[in-house]
Amino acid sequence: MEIPKQYDPKESEQNHYERWESQGCFAPEVNRDENAPVFSIAIPPPNVTGSLHMGHALQHTMMDVLTRYKRMCGYRTLWMPGMDHAGISTQLMVSRDLKKEGLTRHDLGREKFIERVWKWKAESGGQITKQMRREGVSVDWSREKFTMDEDLSRAVRETFVLLYEQGMIYRGNRIVNWCPNDQTVLSDLEVQKDPQPGKLYYLRYPLKDGSGTVTVATTRPETMLGDTAVAVNPNDERFRDLVGAALSLPLTGREIPIIADEFVDVEFGTGAVKITPAHDPNDYEMGVRHSLPQIVVIDTHAKMTDDAGAEFAGLDRYKARALVIEKFEELGLLEKVDDYEFSISKCERCRTVIEPLISMQWFLRMDTLRVLGLELLEGFKKPRFVPEVPYEKVYANWLENLRDWTISRQLWWGHQIPAWYTAEGEVIVARSAEEARAKAGTDELTQDPDVLDTWFSSALWPFSTLGWPDETVDLKTFYPTSVLVTARDIIFLWVSRMVMMGMHFIGNRPFDDVFVTGTILDKHGQRMSKTKMNGVDPLEVFDKFGVDATRLTLASVGASDTRWNEKQVESYRNFANKIWNAARFCLMNAEGATVEPSWHAHPASAERLNAGVDEHGQDARAASLHDRWIDSRLNKTARDVRQALAEYQFHEAVQTLYHFFWDDFCDWYIELTKSEVTAEEPSPERDAARGRLLSVLEQALRLLHPFMPYITEDLWQRLPGVGSEFHHPAYREAAPTIMLAAYPEGEASLINEDIEWEMQALIDLISRVRNIRSEMNIKPGEPVRIMIGAPDEKLRAVFSANTNQIQRLVRASEVTISAKLEAPKASARAVLVGGAEVAVPLEGLIDFEAERNRLGKEKEKLQAEATKLEAQLANPQFAERAPAEKVEGIRARLADIAQRTMQLDQTIENLR
RNA sequence: GCCCGCUUGGCUCAGUGGUAGAGCACUCGCUUCACACGCGAGGGGUCAUAAGUUCGAAUCUUAUAGCGGGCACCA
């Protein structure tokens, strides 16, 4: 069999995904066990306009690891894919295309425009789904959803109608965040505060009676044209006598009162605040409290209205600002202008400065909904946030302070609000136009032109995708989902809303756990963003290092933020290559052997392997130390990986697998089994060793598969003897694939600490001798004799059973083992565990002084440790209060050090 | 302003109340019949600073500094 020396990720990435998908391996129906436990994930639907970025790749990797792992464990597994219609983004993107043709959406009209958007979606939308296939995600594409699909739209209308009927949705004239560029209202969460240097203007308002002026401070002088009061704190001595007095508002000739309100901060500015109820959220509230009139002076295009006065009408808000200041200066009413840094609200999408406006919009009342979320959290600890700190607190805190949600948007692309108006202005909310006409008793209806906030439909995602409002099998089976994997920036925008909607409509949480991933930063620690152009394209990383290596890198990010480090991907690329070459070795020596499906699950295997050391080497088939050792290590690895994944410790799982495969399997097991496996002549022993090697590899590939789907499948398919009988029992009928193989159990009975201790003694021996070779500058090809002294009988047995291996791994010509070491004076020595010693006779090669120094250094190290331990032991309170096992451990360690030190002393003395 | 997180070898990061870990980088030696994307052997950190709790703290508490993030109605 020809296998190249270097792993080519592209080839295996091309060869398996299509087969997995077309054979239905991703669909839960592949599982034929009716009683199988269920695992489900709803993907955070990417925007239809989007393309794959690191954040997606990160989340998708984690979700895929979990999904593939659970599937291999026999769960009925559904990872639901889909996309979000992304109202504003998509509308803007299509509008931009139109602009190139010199058109606006208004030229086309609503219907044609929407047709155009659908056309765009069919042609170039959803690029990301192709890119996701490259990632290897095991989502069930046969169930793919889009938030604007008819069934999901129906769910949206249903929820809207129900919420309206329940009095939770209302329409009202409120102050809202308005984007003058996008020409739509935005929710609080779509607005970003940007700190900016600006000016604080101090304006004088004359008292009507001419007895003086009151100075107010403002960052937005143009809004003074809409002022309807000046407010002071009722406890402010300075203004006590002025409350109730009238001011003459400059430039307008209007008369406005001075009112008292607790809200006013005595410390800030002058202590007197101008109140513009129509153009500031706080002023709006205060206006409502004091029944102040609302004068609209800025329109939806951020231009001044006629009510701003003839001089200002039609001016842009910033031009108006300059003019207001100019006028105040002329009138001698501009007291001063200070430099001032403050936060300005901007549209998250287009960065235009938000204009607070009073506008008729639809709102969703949050008072009862947020209580549902809080009760679920406080009463049932659901969802469980991982990591719990800080997200649970942040989430709870946000729910506590939640305000009503502005759900209408002045867009065309989205779910049009299912509300109709009669000629008389009566509001009819219905599931369809027919229902509305029936309810209204007339055909003369106009539907509300607005659409719903994109996040409204996203909030329904975990159940709308499963068929709600119908009571489908999918809904019953897969809701609540098992876990939500997401970035922290949409905890409020999305996570909390899914919880509230899920509780309200299904009466149950949408997911058990929320795993919040870290963020991948650029190498300077900055967030990756389009505007900064500092993003790393995952597809380029795939091309350069392979998908599997990238996935390992991403899985290692876990829950904390990490700077992008290409070196790390490179090292995992090397790991993939290591796997490739280990398998290459196994396959090059596979003749006469096959993988045994029952190898690890065989009822007798544990018994057989733990039958005890066969000191006579009678059972050549399975009694070797390294065979039983790799078994123990493999099962411990499986156990640890399972545990790590249960706690979403992806990094831990990757580390465990990496070190098992590279250190245990490649560096030791393959090396120790090589002499058996590479024997020239066929023999039952050789073929048995080959079979064991292949079986360990096969198990290791299964362990790695959730993280590295491509290379593991590629290699697994090449193993002699693999088939559907390797599958988890739930998948026996499916065509052979590693993705349906049973995930190794991590059987406790196969984890054997005695065996691991024995193997560790062997590893130590080999390492110490190699160290001597290296330190003594013995040429790699030069054979040495080694002499081992071991008073412990068990250790002697371990070493004698492995003399061949020792010879091979340290290039020894001869290995002698005795209870007491009697080596020539001219030897380099090392002290081992259990009072054992090793000596390498080096006639003529050894510099006695250098060797004494080398041993002296080792002794110093031991002494330093002993000093610390003794001090600890000498403390009477330590012996008294520390747990007995700790004290015992330290005593034992000290005894060991004492023995080694004594042996070192003797050795050093002998070298004189 | 309030809240939170981070600060561990040159770099990127794990970790933990009881003898400091990995990968990369570095040093030395190797084309040893799976792999130079490799093999073997090494060097390197008083775990930001200070005080406290404890028999014992890098790990818990508090304060400080630097960095990062979230929230907030300061005109």
Side-chain angles (χ1 to χ4, degrees), chain A residues 574-643:
Chain A
N574 296 352
F575 179 55
N577 196 53
K578 187 74 179 176
I579 296 170
W580 182 259
N581 277 289
R584 181 166 176 262
F585 172 79
C586 298
L587 291 169
M588 281 165 69
N589 296 287
E591 201 186 309
T594 56
V595 189
E596 295 176 43
S598 58
W599 178 79
H600 98 286
H602 192 279
S605 63
E607 206 178 304
R608 193 182 72 204
L609 293 170
N610 279 322
V613 184
D614 183 348
E615 288 173 41
H616 308 291
Q618 290 299 313
D619 185 1
R621 216 187 121 64
S624 301
L625 175 62
H626 56 265
D627 289 322
R628 292 189 293 158
W629 171 78
I630 199 66
D631 234 15
S632 180
R633 296 297 308 150
L634 185 124
N635 282 281
K636 203 181 259 187
T637 301
R639 182 195 69 189
D640 292 350
V641 170
R642 281 169 172 269
Q643 197 177 337

Side-chain angles (χ1 to χ4, degrees), chain A residues 232-243:
Chain A
V232 298
N233 191 293
N235 303 317
D236 193 336
E237 295 295 333
R238 294 172 294 177
F239 300 107
R240 175 153 293 175
D241 296 339
L242 290 173
V243 173

Side-chain angles (χ1 to χ4, degrees), chain A residues 430-701:
Chain A
R431 288 165 184 80
S432 65
E434 296 78 57
E435 190 183 314
R437 282 194 285 272
K439 273 187 182 175
T442 168
D443 287 356
E444 301 294 304
L445 295 175
T446 341
Q447 185 171 3
D448 192 302
D450 289 356
V451 301
L452 287 163
D453 182 1
T454 300
W455 294 103
F456 189 89
S457 54
S458 312
L460 317 178
W461 185 251
F463 51 90
S464 65
T465 52
L466 294 172
W468 188 90
D470 294 334
E471 283 189 26
T472 59
V473 175
D474 270 8
L475 184 63
K476 279 186 209 139
T477 310
F478 298 110
Y479 190 94
T481 63
S482 309
V483 57
L484 179 79
V485 177
T486 185
R488 73 170 84 85
D489 50 0
I490 51 177
I491 290 178
F492 305 146
L493 221 42
W494 191 46
V495 177
S496 64
R497 288 165 175 172
M498 284 190 285
V499 171
M500 292 186 282
M501 293 301 211
M503 290 307 289
H504 187 69
F505 287 106
I506 313 292
N508 204 350
R509 63 197 130 78
F511 26 73
D512 290 317
D513 299 347
V514 176
F515 179 69
V516 185
T517 70
T519 308
I520 298 176
L521 308 169
D522 71 5
K523 62 183 172 186
H524 304 293
Q526 300 289 309
R527 288 184 77 104
M528 290 182 178
S529 74
K530 276 184 211 153
T531 45
K532 283 187 205 151
M533 302 283 283
N534 62 347
V536 176
D537 182 356
L539 296 156
E540 284 173 20
V541 183
F542 292 163
D543 286 341
K544 194 164 172 191
F545 298 106
V547 171
D548 288 336
T550 313
R551 287 171 57 118
L552 277 188
T553 310
L554 294 170
S556 298
V557 169
S560 53
D561 293 358
T562 306
R563 297 178 190 209
W564 178 252
N565 181 1
E566 200 176 271
K567 281 283 180 193
Q568 205 189 347
V569 199
E570 197 179 320
S571 84
Y572 285 126
R573 188 269 319 262
N574 296 352
F575 179 55
N577 196 53
K578 187 74 179 176
I579 296 170
W580 182 259
N581 277 289
R584 181 166 176 262
F585 172 79
C586 298
L587 291 169
M588 281 165 69
N589 296 287
E591 201 186 309
T594 56
V595 189
E596 295 176 43
S598 58
W599 178 79
H600 98 286
H602 192 279
S605 63
E607 206 178 304
R608 193 182 72 204
L609 293 170
N610 279 322
V613 184
D614 183 348
E615 288 173 41
H616 308 291
Q618 290 299 313
D619 185 1
R621 216 187 121 64
S624 301
L625 175 62
H626 56 265
D627 289 322
R628 292 189 293 158
W629 171 78
I630 199 66
D631 234 15
S632 180
R633 296 297 308 150
L634 185 124
N635 282 281
K636 203 181 259 187
T637 301
R639 182 195 69 189
D640 292 350
V641 170
R642 281 169 172 269
Q643 197 177 337
L645 289 180
E647 294 158 8
Y648 303 104
Q649 301 283 336
F650 295 94
H651 179 270
E652 180 74 20
V654 170
Q655 289 303 305
T656 303
L657 288 166
Y658 183 95
H659 290 294
F660 167 73
F661 197 92
W662 200 310
D663 301 350
D664 295 342
F665 182 63
C666 292
D667 288 352
W668 292 104
Y669 185 70
I670 289 183
E671 293 305 326
L672 287 166
T673 199
K674 237 176 201 172
S675 55
E676 303 167 284
V677 163
T678 59
E680 295 268 335
E681 291 300 314
S683 70
E685 289 76 20
R686 187 197 73 172
D687 294 344
R690 290 181 166 189
R692 287 193 301 268
L693 177 62
L694 285 172
S695 297
V696 177
L697 173 69
E698 197 265 339
Q699 295 284 312
L701 292 176

Side-chain angles (χ1 to χ4, degrees), chain A residues 613 623-630 664 667-676 753-771 786 788 790 792 794-812 815-817 830-834 836-838 900:
Chain A
V613 184
S624 301
L625 175 62
H626 56 265
D627 289 322
R628 292 189 293 158
W629 171 78
I630 199 66
D664 295 342
D667 288 352
W668 292 104
Y669 185 70
I670 289 183
E671 293 305 326
L672 287 166
T673 199
K674 237 176 201 172
S675 55
E676 303 167 284
E753 295 301 340
D754 290 341
I755 291 293
E756 295 207 16
W757 182 85
E758 288 176 16
M759 183 68 190
Q760 197 52 52
L762 184 61
I763 289 174
D764 279 348
L765 169 77
I766 292 166
S767 303
R768 301 313 294 261
V769 175
R770 283 172 170 172
N771 174 252
I786 72 169
I788 303 167
D792 182 285
K794 203 169 161 194
L795 274 182
R796 278 207 303 283
V798 169
F799 295 143
S800 1
N802 289 283
T803 46
N804 282 343
Q805 275 79 8
I806 295 169
Q807 280 185 359
R808 186 189 166 89
L809 293 181
V810 302
R811 294 242 165 177
V815 178
T816 57
I817 302 164
V831 176
L832 309 169
V833 290
E837 276 184 280
V838 61
R900 284 171 189 250

